[in-house]
Amino acid sequence: MTAVPVTLGVRPRMPETGAVPSDGPLVDTFGRVHRDLRVSLTDRCSLRCTYCMPEQGNEWLAKTSILTLDEIERIARIAAAAGITTFRLTGGEPLLRTDLVEVVRRLARLESPDGPVQIAMTTNGITLREKLPALVAAGLTRLNISLDTLRPERFRDLTRRDRLADVLDGIAAASESGLSPLKLNTVAMRDVNEDELVDLVEFAVAHNAQLRFIEQMPLDAGHTWSRERMVTREEILDRLAARWRLTPVPGRGGAPAETWVLDDGPHRVGVIASVTAPFCGACDRLRLTADGQLRNCLFSTTEFDLLPILRTSYDDPGEMDRELDAMMRGCILRKLPGHAIDDPSFLQPRRGMNAIGG
């Protein structure tokens, strides 16, 4: 069987068979070695953040198209064997996935050529307290929790849900769990929460967490993003510098966030400036959507469909694994040098962030 990649509107031409390596590291044509796979478990979410999705009228993925537990495990096993060392579980909201603990347990058993893999998760924290002990026991090693405001009314306006108390309780549970580093993610937005930047960092420090500010990106389902509404990296740093002495931390590597030590430490703050200071040249990430589409960039308009391979009967199961591995490597070989947000030809992805995976 020869699988054909399904894409958004067009069918990308895969490299010739001989051009796709059958082994070795997951490296693209620009020399970037990929070690991080973001695995979206669902496109559904318990919040309706204004910068992510509409309050009503969302078109959810069909249940039949969502990857099963066995399918996720199979893709992850092949990815780990090829050099993926970190799996980050995302959504939508991954805590809505009923088999989440078993997903973590199965993935945590995998090993890459460099040793056991790490299992991280990005969540809004709602219901985290009750589920966290089982997730830690299953092998979860790191947590990122979204927190855009500390003000209940503002939270309700921003997320269209009155759940701030639940989010804060989830953060407290994560802080108590000992998982480290604990990171809190804040999308900085003009006339929305830019007056809370210092307060949010102080909250993070009090919970032994690292606050990471994120420039708002063109990934909303309604395609209403505008550069004028975005609070830039420089604006964020200027506000923080009025409160703390910021010392840059060298050796960022492929991490999306630049980090600074606050005063004499040990606490740090990070900024993910995908728009004004892109870090594409060191990107080591690959993404898997909840419906089995591989994406080599968060802003890609091309996807590679793994479902036809996963849901075809093979006389030799090893042939399926080889097809999946070849699709993954072919996807990486087609990765562009950068997302080109500043280029006039830039096209916003059709999918919103909840469907791509955070």
Side-chain angles (χ1 to χ4, degrees):
M1 175 216 180
T2 300
V4 178
V6 176
T7 65
L8 304 181
V10 297
R11 293 185 182 274
R13 199 169 73 185
M14 292 283 286
E16 296 297 329
T17 304
V20 180
S22 59
D23 56 18
L26 298 172
V27 61
D28 64 18
T29 57
F30 301 93
R32 296 170 294 197
V33 178
H34 292 68
R35 301 183 178 88
D36 185 309
L37 178 61
R38 309 294 172 98
V39 181
S40 177
L41 300 180
T42 178
D43 62 331
R44 297 174 184 264
C45 188
S46 42
L47 300 176
R48 295 291 184 274
C49 295
T50 56
Y51 58 81
C52 185
M53 67 173 81
E55 182 175 12
Q56 298 178 342
N58 291 284
E59 295 184 6
W60 307 115
L61 295 172
K63 289 184 178 180
T64 55
S65 72
I66 300 294
L67 291 173
T68 67
L69 174 63
D70 289 342
E71 289 169 342
I72 292 170
E73 181 184 20
R74 186 167 209 139
I75 296 168
R77 172 173 53 78
I78 293 167
I84 294 294
T85 59
T86 298
F87 293 92
R88 176 169 295 280
L89 305 179
T90 71
E93 175 46 55
L95 289 173
L96 294 179
R97 179 98 181 203
T98 57
D99 58 358
L100 174 61
V101 171
E102 187 61 22
V103 171
V104 172
R105 181 176 292 111
R106 292 199 191 182
L107 268 56
R109 295 171 181 163
L110 300 175
E111 291 204 15
S112 75
D114 295 323
V117 301
Q118 297 288 303
I119 309 299
M121 183 172 70
T122 296
T123 173
N124 62 29
I126 296 173
T127 74
L128 182 60
R129 178 175 288 279
E130 63 187 78
K131 297 176 181 178
L132 189 54
L135 291 169
V136 173
L140 184 70
T141 52
R142 298 202 305 273
L143 268 174
N144 287 21
I145 303 176
S146 299
L147 179 69
D148 293 326
T149 178
L150 295 167
R151 302 180 186 181
E153 290 186 6
R154 182 173 287 179
F155 184 92
R156 186 170 58 248
D157 291 342
L158 183 60
T159 69
R160 305 182 178 107
R161 299 289 187 271
D162 190 12
R163 305 297 298 272
L164 178 59
D166 297 315
V167 174
L168 297 181
D169 187 48
I171 292 172
S175 180
E176 296 160 7
S177 74
L179 289 182
S180 180
L182 172 61
K183 297 177 181 178
L184 307 183
N185 293 343
T186 297
V187 178
M189 292 165 281
R190 194 171 309 286
D191 301 326
V192 176
N193 64 353
E194 61 181 326
D195 58 338
E196 287 189 76
L197 304 189
V198 169
D199 293 342
L200 285 159
V201 174
E202 290 179 337
F203 174 86
V205 168
H207 287 79
N208 197 31
Q210 179 189 124
L211 202 294
R212 304 196 313 171
F213 292 106
I214 303 172
E215 289 183 339
Q216 189 175 359
M217 296 176 282
L219 289 167
D220 59 302
H223 290 204
T224 60
W225 177 87
S226 70
R227 184 178 293 273
E228 291 71 25
R229 299 282 295 170
M230 181 186 71
V231 180
T232 68
R233 169 186 180 275
E234 293 306 317
E235 290 176 279
I236 293 168
L237 293 176
D238 284 346
R239 285 179 179 263
L240 300 183
R243 168 65 176 81
W244 294 279
R245 183 176 68 259
L246 304 178
T247 304
V249 177
R252 174 183 180 181
E258 298 173 86
T259 55
W260 289 263
V261 174
L262 300 173
D263 289 339
D264 295 322
H267 299 291
R268 301 181 178 191
V269 68
V271 178
I272 300 175
S274 298
V275 179
T276 65
F279 42 90
C280 303
C283 180
D284 65 353
R285 288 169 294 286
L286 185 66
R287 296 174 183 273
L288 176 66
T289 68
D291 57 345
Q293 310 295 315
L294 271 179
R295 300 173 62 94
N296 54 31
C297 176
L298 181 58
F299 298 97
S300 178
T301 56
T302 300
E303 296 180 338
F304 295 76
D305 192 356
L306 301 183
L307 284 185
I309 303 175
L310 290 163
R311 298 182 180 179
T312 294
S313 296
Y314 289 81
D315 294 331
D316 174 13
E319 184 182 353
M320 178 186 291
D321 290 354
R322 290 188 291 273
E323 291 271 3
L324 292 170
D325 182 78
M327 183 73 85
M328 180 170 56
R329 293 176 185 276
C331 173
I332 290 171
L333 284 177
R334 287 182 54 85
K335 189 167 185 171
L336 299 175
H339 55 53
I341 287 177
D342 287 324
D343 191 286
S345 64
F346 174 77
L347 293 176
Q348 182 172 339
R350 178 179 60 82
R351 293 187 191 239
M353 190 66 167
N354 67 299
I356 295 173

